[in-house]
Amino acid sequence: SDLLTGRFNYRMHPDFIKLPSQYSTKEIYLRKVVYEHFKAMADSAAKSGIVLKALSGTRSFAEQKAIWDNKWTKYFTNGDSIGAMKKILLYSSMPSTSRHHWGSDIDINSLEPSYFASGKGLKEYTWLVNNASRFGFCQVYDDMKKTGRTGYQEEKWHWSYLPVATKLLVEYHSKISYAEISGFKGSNLASKINFIPSFVDGISTKCK
């Protein structure tokens, strides 16, 4: 279950590989099989003049906790834990629940919704919508206003390699309970807000 909650060193794990700089903007690791398919997708996109680069790949529990703690400090006011949590959970996962722990998910090109709304970003996103599924990738967080799913806001940058991620989601359900979602501020509230069904399962029906 450590692989599911990010409590392992992916840099040393034999199933993970560091992406070459051609495919990433910084030091990023993914599962080898996920990298192979991302590389194939990026190479195919390049033939259409589209550059795809990973901005984020695998994250450890500690890395996710750092993101969470920074946002907690920013949003936590007047003892309102639930209010702080709702703001963080628009775009960031609780440590031990992120799909980024799994090495199956990638953030591509930009983390700004506006980037993908026009120009180069729109071209890149349109290419992904039309082609990513051929390589096994799916946009897990679609437009909830249109689809009615629960959980995080739309993320046009977040693509999940389904042949790996679907299996890991099943495994997550069989092995992880709220007791494992611990070790960070507000973790005791996960069960109160029905976190696993609302967020861990709050993915596009196309990606199920």
Side-chain angles (χ1 to χ4, degrees), residues 56 59 64 67-68 71 74-75 83-95 97-100 107 110-116 139-145 149-158 195 199:
S56 191
R59 277 186 223 136
Q64 193 67 30
I67 293 170
W68 181 270
K71 292 194 176 185
K74 186 172 154 187
Y75 295 131
M85 190 170 277
K86 282 184 173 160
K87 282 182 182 162
I88 302 172
L89 290 172
L90 290 172
Y91 294 107
S92 294
S93 303
M94 286 185 181
T97 72
S98 175
R99 294 173 75 94
H100 281 290
D107 293 336
S110 174
L111 301 176
E112 290 297 327
S114 58
Y115 173 83
F116 294 104
Q139 182 191 338
V140 273
Y141 305 125
D142 59 9
D143 185 348
M144 61 207 316
K145 293 187 197 76
R149 69 171 177 82
T150 57
Y152 307 101
Q153 296 297 300
E154 181 175 27
E155 295 189 355
K156 289 180 173 176
W157 53 83
H158 186 136
F195 187 82
F199 285 86

Side-chain angles (χ1 to χ4, degrees), residues 6 12 16 25 35 71-72 81 95 108 137 139 144 160-161:
M12 303 297 288
F16 286 71
T25 55
Y35 163 63
K71 292 194 176 185
W72 186 274
S81 300
I108 297 174
F137 288 92
Q139 182 191 338
M144 61 207 316
S160 187
Y161 181 66

Side-chain angles (χ1 to χ4, degrees), residues 19-25 35 38-39 42-43 46 51-54:
L19 271 59
S21 57
Q22 185 188 341
Y23 300 102
S24 59
T25 55
Y35 163 63
F38 177 61
K39 178 184 185 299
D43 290 347
V51 176
L52 301 180
K53 284 201 175 200

Side-chain angles (χ1 to χ4, degrees), residues 99 125 128-130 133 136-143 146-147 149 154 159-163 166 201-208:
R99 294 173 75 94
Y125 179 65
L128 285 164
V129 168
N130 291 330
S133 62
F137 288 92
C138 189
Q139 182 191 338
V140 273
Y141 305 125
D142 59 9
D143 185 348
K146 289 181 186 160
T147 61
R149 69 171 177 82
E154 181 175 27
W159 295 79
S160 187
Y161 181 66
L162 292 188
T166 303
D201 291 334
I203 62 173
S204 166
T205 52
K206 288 180 187 156
C207 307
K208 285 181 177 170

